[in-house]
Amino acid sequence: MLPVSSIGKKIVMAVTGCCLVLFLLVHLLGNLSIYGGPGSLNAYAEFLHSKPTLLWIARLGLIGLFVLHVIFGLWLYIGNWVARPHRYVRETTLQATLSSRTMIWTGALILIFLAYHLAHLTLRWLYFPGERFDAMGRFDEFFMVTSGFKNTSVMGAYVVVMLIFWMHLRHGASSLFQTLGFSHFKYEKILTCLGIIIATLIVGGCVSIPFLIWSGVIGGNAL
Ligand code: HEM
């Protein structure tokens, strides 16, 4: 196996995590165009799909980032587990937060969510109401997205996963700054707050979409 130090692995986690957070921000900003109505979301989706080469370069980059983040995360987790002296003794990690202790599990859940999310909205294998086009002849992304989230179980599943995702992001965002050098104790509180703010902004934006569709604020009343 490659001789990568623990800090080397953490740096890979921090850099890939940072890029994934940037992707999420861009993805969220694009998705928020749903608040502009069908015309706005359909125009955004058409713009994305009109640049297949760029889209595939971005997708491959994203897959690479996910793979590195998962492999190095597992590598760190297994390394720490093996090095732990009393791993059979009941844990008393009073200092560590619930978010930091469950990173491996919340991360695994995000992977499962991602497979479900791609099957739902990118591959359109689940809750796909069928092809429909708007007055301008564009694929009706708005209709596709709102149809899925009007289903209570789908909306509920997204909201619950997003709340668990908040824990992963909250710890990941503050610890990536520490790994990248802002580790002085003076910054500890600031970094914790920054992690909470980043996670709350991203997750709040993500949760708002399925919830407001389900409640009828976006796309009409479905209840
Ligand atoms: C609940 C809020 C979210 C909504 C409403 C949403 C919406 C969408 C939609 C509509 C697409 C399909 C775009 C298209 O091809 O036309 C998509 C794709 C995608 N989403 Fe999300 N998304 C959400 C949260 C997330 C989260 C939290 C992640 C990351 C863990 C994520 C990662 C992705 C990825 C990787 C794609 C595939 C992009 C591609 O086509 O290559 N999404 N999402």
Side-chain angles (χ1 to χ4, degrees):
M1 203 175 265
L2 287 171
V4 183
S5 66
S6 183
I7 186 68
K9 288 175 208 148
K10 281 192 174 194
I11 288 174
V12 174
M13 291 300 285
V15 172
T16 52
C18 193
C19 297
L20 290 170
V21 167
L22 289 179
F23 158 75
L24 271 181
L25 277 173
V26 173
H27 185 48
L28 175 62
L29 287 179
N31 288 342
L32 289 180
S33 64
I34 200 165
Y35 286 108
S40 160
L41 185 70
N42 293 353
Y44 165 67
E46 193 187 51
F47 167 77
L48 269 187
H49 292 277
S50 69
K51 314 258 181 287
T53 319
L54 272 183
L55 186 63
W56 272 106
I57 293 174
R59 280 176 175 166
L60 291 175
L62 208 51
I63 293 171
L65 289 170
F66 265 113
V67 169
L68 282 176
H69 198 74
V70 170
I71 290 179
F72 278 78
L74 278 174
W75 196 357
L76 261 175
Y77 178 78
I78 294 168
N80 287 343
W81 190 81
V82 169
R84 217 184 300 161
H86 308 296
R87 61 177 181 271
Y88 301 111
V89 177
R90 198 170 153 267
E91 281 188 73
T92 49
T93 40
L94 292 175
Q95 298 254 303
T97 61
L98 181 66
S99 304
S100 72
R101 278 181 284 130
T102 51
M103 285 305 270
I104 192 85
W105 307 112
T106 50
L109 188 82
I110 294 167
L111 266 190
I112 297 170
F113 161 78
L114 201 55
Y116 172 71
H117 185 54
L118 295 182
H120 173 198
L121 292 168
T122 301
L123 300 169
R124 299 170 192 162
W125 290 343
L126 311 170
Y127 331 108
F128 182 50
E131 296 266 305
R132 192 169 112 166
F133 298 91
D134 66 9
M136 294 180 71
R138 297 174 299 209
F139 173 72
D140 202 343
E141 183 97 358
F142 185 87
F143 174 61
M144 177 191 69
V145 172
T146 51
S147 306
F149 290 135
K150 278 177 181 173
N151 179 322
T152 305
S153 329
V154 179
M155 182 281 294
Y158 267 80
V159 170
V160 169
V161 173
M162 288 302 112
L163 296 179
I164 294 169
F165 187 29
W166 181 88
M167 289 169 62
H168 192 88
L169 267 179
R170 168 233 174 286
H171 177 74
S174 39
S175 61
L176 82 83
F177 290 112
Q178 278 177 1
T179 304
L180 296 178
F182 302 91
S183 57
H184 196 279
F185 72 92
K186 272 199 302 196
Y187 303 131
E188 213 178 293
K189 279 215 167 82
I190 300 175
L191 295 181
T192 306
C193 289
L194 207 57
I196 292 176
I197 292 170
I198 292 174
T200 306
L201 281 179
I202 293 180
V203 169
C206 283
V207 161
S208 73
I209 297 174
F211 182 73
L212 293 180
I213 292 173
W214 174 80
S215 57
V217 175
I218 301 175
N221 207 334
L223 300 174

